[in-house]
Amino acid sequence: PDEMAFYYFQGMAQFQKHDSDAALETFRKGVGQIKPDSNPDIVSDFYAIMGDILHEKGRNDEAFQAYDSCLQWKADNVAALNNYAYFLSEKGQDLDKAASMSLKTVMAEPKNSTYLDTYAWILFMQKRYPEALEYIEKAVANDPQEGISAVVLEHAGDIAFMANDVQKALGYWQKALAKDGNNKLLQQKIKQK
């Protein structure tokens, strides 16, 4: 029971089976086994996944505390940096901190479209539209077009619109609508230009 790795593997299995309550309980038990000489990668992942689960449950303050703990153990956990930054931007809080964390992910993986999208969206939230447009266009260019999400395309449209390129915005929104035909907000954006 004092072997942290077993909690990690059990929690990961539960998480992959979408049993988030059980996974969260297992990770909490595992956190209780952390020692100063514990493997930082495993400890960081414990907290990162706990952050993801807690955010999914709408418990954002606890999620952000988990991400902070994660980054204390491994400051360059890019997946946690990305998620933490994006979730902060969704709340519109600590945008400078979010931008700083997100930039680290882009520097670590400059062709990762998810990380580029997150950074572009944070810049958008900061009203830094020309920079946001530059990064969202990189996100779109680095994402396989058949796999690109409607969310990324909608972000691209919103950013292009605020950067005063209405035609480009309409193109992105129409591509997003083709992937998410029931999105009423997208339909409204296209109709009202």
Side-chain angles (χ1 to χ4, degrees), residues 19-76:
D19 189 352
S20 58
D21 291 330
L24 187 58
E25 180 62 28
T26 300
F27 286 127
R28 284 205 167 125
K29 288 178 183 173
V31 164
Q33 304 306 317
I34 295 172
K35 297 172 182 65
D37 63 342
S38 294
N39 182 329
D41 293 332
I42 292 177
V43 174
S44 179
D45 284 347
F46 264 108
Y47 284 116
I49 296 168
M50 287 174 66
D52 293 345
I53 293 169
L54 290 163
H55 175 265
E56 184 181 287
K57 293 181 168 299
R59 295 160 57 184
N60 290 314
D61 290 340
E62 292 174 78
F64 296 158
Q65 289 172 3
Y67 288 129
D68 284 333
S69 295
C70 162
L71 297 173
Q72 285 177 359
W73 281 88
K74 187 175 180 198
D76 63 346

Side-chain angles (χ1 to χ4, degrees), residues 7-28:
Y7 293 101
Y8 176 78
F9 292 121
Q10 180 179 355
M12 286 300 294
Q14 292 164 326
F15 182 69
Q16 290 174 348
K17 289 176 64 178
H18 306 288
D19 189 352
S20 58
D21 291 330
L24 187 58
E25 180 62 28
T26 300
F27 286 127
R28 284 205 167 125

Side-chain angles (χ1 to χ4, degrees), residues 24 65 87 92 97 102 114 130 144-145 149-150 174 180 184 187:
L24 187 58
Q65 289 172 3
F87 298 150
K97 177 180 179 178
S102 185
T114 300
Q145 293 306 298
S149 76
Q174 287 167 342
D180 183 9
K184 301 293 184 207
Q187 293 171 2

Side-chain angles (χ1 to χ4, degrees), residues 174-192:
Q174 287 167 342
K175 288 178 183 177
L177 189 61
K179 292 182 173 281
D180 183 9
N182 296 324
N183 188 322
K184 301 293 184 207
L185 182 58
L186 269 173
Q187 293 171 2
Q188 185 179 1
K189 288 176 185 179
I190 292 167
K191 182 178 178 183
Q192 294 179 353

Side-chain angles (χ1 to χ4, degrees), residues 108-175:
E109 296 184 28
K111 293 188 181 225
N112 184 312
S113 61
T114 300
Y115 299 163
L116 289 163
D117 171 59
T118 297
Y119 189 54
W121 191 248
I122 293 166
L123 293 172
F124 172 81
M125 295 293 292
Q126 293 179 314
K127 299 182 177 164
R128 295 164 57 186
Y129 305 125
E131 290 171 87
L133 186 60
E134 176 187 338
Y135 281 94
I136 198 66
E137 287 180 341
K138 288 179 185 178
V140 170
N142 282 290
D143 203 334
Q145 293 306 298
E146 63 278 353
I148 195 167
S149 76
V151 171
V152 171
L153 291 167
E154 185 174 6
H155 283 175
D158 294 352
I159 292 167
F161 182 83
M162 293 306 290
N164 296 316
D165 193 335
V166 176
Q167 291 303 353
K168 188 179 280 187
L170 284 170
Y172 283 131
W173 288 334
Q174 287 167 342
K175 288 178 183 177

